[in-house]
Amino acid sequence: MDCMGYNCIIILGPTAVGKTALGVRIARATGAEIISADSRQVYKGLDIGSGKDLSDYNAGGIQTPYHLIDITDLTHEYSVFDYQQDFYRVFEELTVASRAAVPVVVGGTGMYLDAVIRGYDFLEVPENPGLRSSLAQKTLEELDAMLLSLKPELHTRATLRDRDRTIRAIEIETFMRTEEAERLRSSRKKRPEIRPFIIGTSLPRDQLRANIARRLRERLGEGMIDEVRRLHDNGASWERLELLGLEYRFVSEYLQGKIRTEDELYDLLLLAIGQFAKRQETWFRGMEKKQVVIHWLPSVPDQNIKFEAAMNLLRGAGLIPETM
């Protein structure tokens, strides 16, 4: 049903605000399937540290179908381009199959969400040996400055800590300005039109900090350190793990002896995750400045209040019947 033109629902917000549980509840109420928008949950084996919380999809013994979780492994450097292409494929599969309800997209990876909401102009970019040769002698600091000059709005600053990823990013940005890129744009397959109704959820700052602290202790208690150790033992380098987000970076440093105790690990992670949540909220505000309409739910801890507010928004948007 998309009588007002909407063909998907997006639930977004910073970490630790209950997006998945809310999204599952809405999907169950509307008969929808979920498409994840999380840059780490695409990887197999990144379970505890990425917060997959797969039990949320099976609450009460009823399985809510989900997509774009556990679709690749750490031998592949999954990109925003990959996500956009996979999203379009799943979206078309769900809509072509004439499901009664529009898909529910749930996640907090700002660039993944923005890539499908605003239709980022991505192309499959070949390697450029000449450019790579010219970049080979530059320091990482010089490469970082070059990339930021090409792409000042760069969101994932982790790229700037890795030489190969920075060179690849420069290669992509350089190619996108060429005539060959224009030719590929004109010849590529038409992408599906995404018309999202976007719902934002957050919490007061003190409640968000409490949720982050509680969830971090739970993840450490569930074996997050052992998970990272196992990934390394199975072949993932420390450098690879450190690029997978805060939990994997700090636990990798702890396992290498760079962080001395679990208490220090907890304190450093708690601070870093809190700062990350602020960056997520800044990203979403930036989307709004670019004319993306986000309907924010009441900033309260009560998930029942949030669910009812979300359902009222969906009724008003014509996405569910007034009687539902």
Side-chain angles (χ1 to χ4, degrees), residues 84 115 118-123 176 181-182 185 188 191:
Q84 188 187 57
R118 297 198 299 124
Y120 281 13
D121 182 25
F122 285 132
L123 297 172
M176 296 296 279
E182 288 300 319
R185 285 188 186 97
R188 68 186 170 191
R191 300 181 296 185

Side-chain angles (χ1 to χ4, degrees), residues 26 46 58 64 67 118 125 196 229 247 307:
I26 290 170
L46 272 64
N58 195 36
T64 301
H67 305 269
R118 297 198 299 124
V125 178
R229 182 185 289 111
E247 290 85 353
F307 173 70

Side-chain angles (χ1 to χ4, degrees), residues 2-221:
D2 61 348
C3 61
M4 292 183 69
Y6 302 112
N7 59 11
C8 73
I9 299 163
I10 293 179
I11 311 295
L12 59 75
T15 188
V17 295
K19 294 183 298 294
T20 300
L22 178 62
V24 168
R25 213 168 155 184
I26 290 170
R28 288 189 174 187
T30 61
E33 299 187 20
I34 287 180
I35 306 176
S36 172
D38 189 289
S39 62
R40 300 183 303 172
Q41 293 184 9
V42 297
Y43 291 109
K44 299 171 186 174
L46 272 64
D47 300 324
I48 301 171
S50 72
K52 283 178 185 166
D53 299 327
L54 294 181
S55 60
D56 284 350
Y57 296 96
N58 195 36
I62 302 171
Q63 180 66 44
T64 301
Y66 59 82
H67 305 269
L68 303 189
I69 294 176
D70 288 338
I71 59 172
T72 190
D73 60 41
L74 292 178
T75 61
H76 175 60
E77 182 88 21
Y78 196 84
S79 67
V80 184
F81 172 80
D82 292 327
Y83 179 79
Q84 188 187 57
Q85 298 307 301
D86 285 337
F87 179 92
Y88 288 152
R89 173 182 55 78
V90 171
F91 180 83
E92 288 188 311
E93 287 172 359
L94 294 180
T95 53
V96 168
S98 299
R99 301 289 205 275
V102 301
V104 176
V105 182
V106 179
T109 300
M111 192 169 282
Y112 279 20
L113 292 162
D114 211 16
V116 297
I117 291 169
R118 297 198 299 124
Y120 281 13
D121 182 25
F122 285 132
L123 297 172
E124 196 157 6
V125 178
E127 288 191 3
N128 183 335
L131 176 62
R132 285 179 174 243
S133 177
S134 71
L135 298 177
Q137 303 306 315
K138 293 185 180 295
T139 66
L140 181 57
E141 289 74 19
E142 290 172 328
L143 292 171
D144 290 348
M146 187 173 179
L147 177 56
L148 287 172
S149 71
L150 290 167
K151 195 172 184 179
E153 74 280 11
L154 185 68
H155 175 56
T156 310
R157 295 300 178 102
T159 299
L160 302 178
R161 296 170 40 240
D162 181 82
R163 184 178 185 84
D164 290 340
R165 293 178 77 180
T166 303
I167 289 175
R168 178 57 178 164
I170 292 171
E171 190 172 54
I172 290 170
E173 291 304 314
T174 301
F175 178 82
M176 296 296 279
R177 292 162 170 77
T178 65
E179 291 183 3
E180 175 65 10
E182 288 300 319
R183 186 188 67 77
L184 288 175
R185 285 188 186 97
S186 63
S187 63
R188 68 186 170 191
K189 176 186 173 184
K190 185 178 180 181
R191 300 181 296 185
E193 183 181 1
I194 309 300
R195 303 186 303 276
F197 185 81
I198 307 171
I199 296 174
T201 180
S202 190
L203 286 169
R205 183 63 54 190
D206 58 344
Q207 183 64 52
L208 181 58
R209 282 196 298 265
N211 280 14
I212 290 171
R214 174 185 53 77
R215 193 176 67 168
L216 178 56
R217 289 198 182 279
E218 288 174 353
R219 290 182 181 178
L220 288 168

Side-chain angles (χ1 to χ4, degrees), residues 251-270:
V251 173
S252 292
E253 291 176 354
Y254 167 73
L255 291 171
Q256 294 173 82
K258 298 177 182 178
I259 296 173
R260 293 169 297 174
T261 67
E262 284 195 34
D263 286 342
E264 184 183 2
L265 170 64
Y266 171 84
D267 291 340
L268 290 171
L269 258 178
L270 182 62

